[in-house]
Every structure is written in structure tokens, then in C-alpha cells.
Amino acid sequence: MLDQALESLKIYEWGVDPKAVKSIQDAVVASHGDAAARKKLESTLADVLSTDVPRAAKDIVCRALKTIGTAHSVPALAKLLHDEELSHMARHALQTNDAPEAVKALVGAIDKASKKIKIGIISSLGARGTGVPVAPLAKTLTDKDAEISTAGALALGAIGSTDAAKALGSAKVNDTNRIAVCDAMLHCAENMLAHGKKADAKAIYGTVLKIGPTKAAKIAADLGVKASA
Amino acid sequence: MKTTRRKFLSSSGAATAALGFPSIIPSSALGNADRPAPSNRIVMGGIGIGNMGRGDHGAFLGKNDVQYVAICDVRKGAMNQGKAKTDAKYGNKDCKAHDDYRELLSRDDIDAVHIATPDHWHAQIIIEACRHGKDVFCQKPESLTLGEGSLMVETAKRYGRVVSGGSQRVLQDYKGTVLRCWNGSYGKVKSINVNVGPMSKPCNLPSENVPDDMNWEMWLGPAPWAPYNSKRCSGSFSTSGNSWRSYIDYSGGGMTDWGAHHFGGATFAVDVRELQPNEVILDEIDGKKFVSLRYPNGIEITHNKPGVGQMHVGKGEGQRKGKEVPKYAGSGGITGDFIDCVKTRAKPFRHIEYAINTMAVPHLTVAAYKLNRSLKWDAAKQEFIGDAEANRLRNRARREPWQI
């Protein structure tokens, strides 16, 4: 059944009944706890990504690798990160892949990515939250394109660490990224509060109030100052 | 100086005053016995004006204490109809039509928005609305994934926003069961069963020509790219393949669509709206799989337990002291509840935290069925315990450039 489904991928265009490839998802579930079967399945699926199967087929493969992907499938997915059509589905698989190699691949793809794809990669790094280096995201805060610095700010907020807060504190704030920078700093401050670091949180709220927050962010920072008293 | 509702909600009153008053002031502008003065009305806009959005639009438009000023939809037809309906109500041409919700949210004159887009947009728009200082009423199911839920709750709290979910059925459809649970007639309640489905499925519908009035890129938004197909984006209530409610990228299927109502009723009846389950047990009776969700207080919600009826309550031992059943604030059902809470800053009946706790039930249930195993859930950390693979199901990458 799995072999048939893998064969079906070669002609899996939009419009083909998804039942043709259902066995791939079944194999994902059935191989849980069987390391050898998983490795083989991951390897087979990763190989499909370098072939000329239709986009819909690669979409299916990325969805399966989201569940079972390890460091082994990272190189095949990383090659898709600059592909306008497939970058998102590659991130779909990489964003939740626990391997540090997945982070390395995402970080390594930032610089050469087009604007839209760069925003996507930055957002996936932020969504991972932990195990992501702050420096590459801090660098995006200085990008001349305010949409990229906005993405960088939100990602740093999602990470929420002391280093992330420090980077955000020195961000150049403009009308385009103001909401994101404020939100990210508020996010970091909440993280400090959750870890009992009231003084650190209060300092971040103070910075938000100094940088000219939006009305909504000012209300939030005022609430935060009270919470960190 | 008397504080108006608008001043209470925002400090934009000074800017309005600077513009000056017209020399002739219509009676409606000062308010009358039937209608509050504009400064005491909640200024609203609507995002997503299809099936459910049309109903919500009508409900809010019909409220005397609401001034409806903006409509947004990615389908020009729906957008123009919404504007026409609003303008007809007020006898002017003032309602602004937007095809991008970001324009609407950036308006300083809007206090609150209602959202009735497909589910894959809910988290994005709720979170951005809160960042813009708007209060929000959002149709159920409020979240598409577990991860979105906690982000929505955090953001609403961060900005001190009133955010209400939109299941009108929770309070209306299960009154008898709820009353007997709350007044103590059942004694201590042990469990409740919900029968609902199906789960959403993958979509691979063929490509069709995009209609002239549809902004397809905006309809897809953060969801994976796919070609236009009328069934893929139909707002009909089908969960069997004829609407977006059938498909994984946009919905949890009947499990979350009707599940938001039924699980909402169940969590309300057995009074666990403030909690999330910590165990999700995949079980089987006579070859039929079902899920039991156990709460830290020992209460159990079962899903599709063979031989057990819809909303059947399992009675435990001992007495329960009766409590008054919570009800909507204000008048006018769940939308009236929202408006009243916008004014008082109280928690609405389907406060976003309750809504997300409710939505965790079908999301956790689906995870157990999909992975074909029982799971343990740490509600405080919002993660599955000892199951890295299950944790991967909590979030999905958003298609560029969408980010929350």
C-alpha cells in the first residue's frame, strides 16, 4: 500500500483523490516507536523532494515530514527554503523539527532569501521559541525594510529571553514596526514576570513607555508596570 | 466633567473635539430616548461578512448602542452588500468598505470588531486586533490549533481587551442539562458525553478559475497555498467536502465546528470552563474507538462513547451544593453580552479563555485519534508530556508573510 502511494506521488496533481496517498499518513502513524521503519520512511520521503514530482506531491511529503522529520530530512527540506512555491511547506516541516540542524538550516537561509520568504523564515524561528540564536534575528531589526524588522521583532518577542529583550530595546522604532516592537517587548516582560524577575520586567515596561508606544501598547505597559510592582 | 463611553474606552475624545461640532446638530447626534449619543456608542466594524458574519453584522447593526462604520471581506460582493445594508440602516453612505482587514484595524475611530472569517484566520485577526486596542467578538471555533489558543489568551490579557467567542448555543441549547448539573439535581457529576464529528480531512480539489470578485491570496492568508476551488472556500455549513469546514487547512471539521457548541455546552454543564484536561485516553468498545478526557478535578468528558447519548451526564456519589447558572450580561443574547462587557470591561460569557479551554477539548481529542494513542497534557505549559511527536501538532507554520 505504501509503495503504491509513493508511486502515486509521481502524478499527484491538484484534483487527484487524496486517498491515493493516504497510506503515507497511515505509515507515519504505524511506524511510531519503530525507529528503523521511521528512518526508512523519512529517507524515502526526503528523497522524493529532490525529484520532479508535482507541487501537490511535495506538499504531501512535507506534511508527513512535519510529524516524523529528524536531522536526516533537514538537508532535503533546506533546499526548498528559497523556492517561492515550496518554501512555506518546507518550513511547515522544519518549524517543529526538534533537531538543532533545523534551526541551523532556517538561520542559514535568512540572508539570501527574498523579502517574503525571509519574513516566513524569521516567523518560523520565532515560533520555535527555544533553541534559536538571538543574533540573526536581532540583525533583522536593523533591516531598512520595516516589514522585515517587524517580523524580526515579533520573532524576538516570541523567544522572550533577556537577550531578545536587550536587542529589542535598541531597535530603531518607526511607524511601521512600532506595534510589533512594543508587542515583542511586552511579550518579553511577561516572560520575565512569569519567571519572577519583576525588576527586569518593570525595566522593559519602562522602555516601552519611553519609545513612544501606541495607545494600546501604553495601556498594556501601564498594566504591566502594576503587575511588576 | 462627565466621562463618556468613548472616553472610557479610549482617549481619542480630544482629537474628535478638535475637529469641531457641526453648526446644526441632529437629534440623533445628541441621543434620544431610543439611542445613546454617538459618544456613548460602541463604534464597530465587521471582518468576514459571509454566512455567520452576515448574521453577526445584522445583530450588531440592530443595536442602538452600536455605531457600525466599516465592513471588510475578501469577496467584493459580500463587502458591497454589507456596506449597502449598513448605509441603508443609517440613511447615509458613511460605512467604509475594506478588502484588507489591516486597513480596518488601523482605524483609530473603531472600538470593537466582530470576526466571522474561516477559522484559519481567527487567531491572526484576533491577535492583531488586540494589538490595535480593539475589543473583539469572534465566531466559534475560535482556534484552529492548540498553539493559537494560548497566544490569543495571552494577547487579550496583555492589552486588557474584551474578547468574546461566538457560540450562542452553549447557553441556549443545553439548558435542561446545565440547570440540573448546576442546581445539584444530579448530585456530584462524574462525566458527560459528547457525540460529534467528523474530523476535517486533506483537501486536493482541482483548480478552477478565480472569480473576479474574489481576492484568493487574502482568502488563503496564512494557510498553505492551494488553487482556487469553489468548494474549498464555500462558507456553507457542510463538513462533508462541500465547504472550507471540511478541510484540515481551514477547519477542524465537525469536531471543532459543532464541537465548539457541544463541547462548550458540556464544559459549561460540568463546570470545567476554567480548566483543560490533563489526560486524553484513546479507548475502544466493541471495536469502536472513543476518547475520554480527564480533568484534574476528576471530571471526565467522553467523545463518541459507544452506547452513550449526546450530553448524557454520568452521576457520581454525593451531593453537590446548587449554584446559580451564569447568564449573559445586558440584553440581546451573546452579542448583547459582548457589547455590555465592552462597556463595563467585565468578562463576557464566552470569554476568550473559556473559549480556548473549550476548544482544547476537540483539539486534544483529534490529536489522540490522529496519533492513535493516549496522551498526557500539561495545561500550564501547553505541551504534551513525554510525546515530542504530539507536540509537533500544536502549531503550524504560517504562510509568508503572515505571522503572529
Side-chain angles (χ1 to χ4, degrees), chain A residues 12-16 29 32 38 55 63 66-67 69 88 91 95-96 116 151 179 183 190 215-216 220, chain B residues 10-11 131-133 154 158-159 204 206 224-225 227 249 370-371 373 388-389 392 395 397-400 403:
Chain A
Y12 192 73
E13 301 278 0
W14 305 111
V16 176
V29 175
H32 176 67
R38 268 290 163 87
R55 177 180 184 173
R63 286 172 195 261
K66 174 182 167 65
T67 309
H88 171 234
R91 285 193 295 110
Q95 183 173 300
T96 49
K116 203 171 160 188
I179 288 175
D183 187 74
E190 286 161 18
K215 202 160 57 187
Chain B
S10 104
S11 57
R131 286 178 185 149
H132 280 85
E154 279 171 21
R158 179 176 307 145
Y159 291 97
N204 199 44
W225 187 87
D249 288 340
K370 277 193 173 171
L371 297 171
R373 59 180 178 267
E389 201 171 293
R392 294 183 180 201
N395 289 297
R398 306 179 88 72
R399 191 167 66 103
E400 55 275 358
Q403 183 184 16

Side-chain angles (χ1 to χ4, degrees), chain A residues 12-18 28-29 32 38 55-56 59 63 65-70 84 87-89 91-92 95-98 116-117 119-120 122-124 127 150-152 154-155 179 182-183 186-187 190 214-217 219-220 223, chain B residues 9-12 108 127 130-134 151 154-155 157-161 202-207 217 222-227 232 248-249 369-373 387-389 391-404:
Chain A
Y12 192 73
E13 301 278 0
W14 305 111
V16 176
D17 189 336
V28 164
V29 175
H32 176 67
R38 268 290 163 87
R55 177 180 184 173
D59 182 298
R63 286 172 195 261
L65 289 174
K66 174 182 167 65
T67 309
I68 65 166
T70 67
E84 296 284 337
S87 182
H88 171 234
M89 292 314 289
R91 285 193 295 110
H92 187 70
Q95 183 173 300
T96 49
N97 185 323
D98 305 317
K116 203 171 160 188
I117 285 180
I119 290 171
I122 292 167
S123 106
S124 278
T150 293
L154 289 176
I179 288 175
C182 290
D183 187 74
L186 295 165
H187 209 145
E190 286 161 18
T214 59
K215 202 160 57 187
I219 291 169
L223 287 171
Chain B
L9 297 175
S10 104
S11 57
S12 63
D108 287 336
I127 287 170
C130 290
R131 286 178 185 149
H132 280 85
K134 314 299 184 204
L151 287 176
E154 279 171 21
T155 312
K157 193 175 171 191
R158 179 176 307 145
Y159 291 97
R161 294 296 95 201
C203 181
N204 199 44
L205 290 164
S207 177
E217 275 297 312
W225 187 87
R232 190 186 282 274
I248 286 170
D249 288 340
Y369 284 129
K370 277 193 173 171
L371 297 171
N372 197 35
R373 59 180 178 267
D387 197 325
E389 201 171 293
N391 280 323
R392 294 183 180 201
L393 300 180
R394 291 174 302 162
N395 289 297
R396 301 175 191 176
R398 306 179 88 72
R399 191 167 66 103
E400 55 275 358
W402 304 103
Q403 183 184 16
I404 52 178

Side-chain angles (χ1 to χ4, degrees), chain A residues 55-112:
Chain A
R55 177 180 184 173
K58 290 186 180 174
D59 182 298
I60 290 289
V61 168
C62 289
R63 286 172 195 261
L65 289 174
K66 174 182 167 65
T67 309
I68 65 166
T70 67
H72 186 72
S73 56
V74 168
L77 290 161
K79 280 181 190 162
L80 306 180
L81 281 174
H82 290 155
D83 184 317
E84 296 284 337
E85 289 192 345
L86 297 168
S87 182
H88 171 234
M89 292 314 289
R91 285 193 295 110
H92 187 70
L94 288 169
Q95 183 173 300
T96 49
N97 185 323
D98 305 317
E101 287 84 351
V103 176
K104 212 172 164 188
L106 288 164
V107 169
I110 294 178
D111 282 347
K112 288 184 181 169

Side-chain angles (χ1 to χ4, degrees), chain A residues 151-175:
Chain A
L154 289 176
L156 286 165
I159 289 168
S161 64
T162 307
D163 286 346
K166 206 177 284 176
L168 286 160
S170 56
K172 196 175 174 188
V173 182
N174 56 47
D175 286 345

Side-chain angles (χ1 to χ4, degrees), chain B residues 116-132:
Chain B
T117 59
D119 306 349
H120 66 282
W121 268 112
H122 287 173
Q124 185 82 38
I125 302 175
I126 287 179
I127 287 170
E128 287 191 50
C130 290
R131 286 178 185 149
H132 280 85

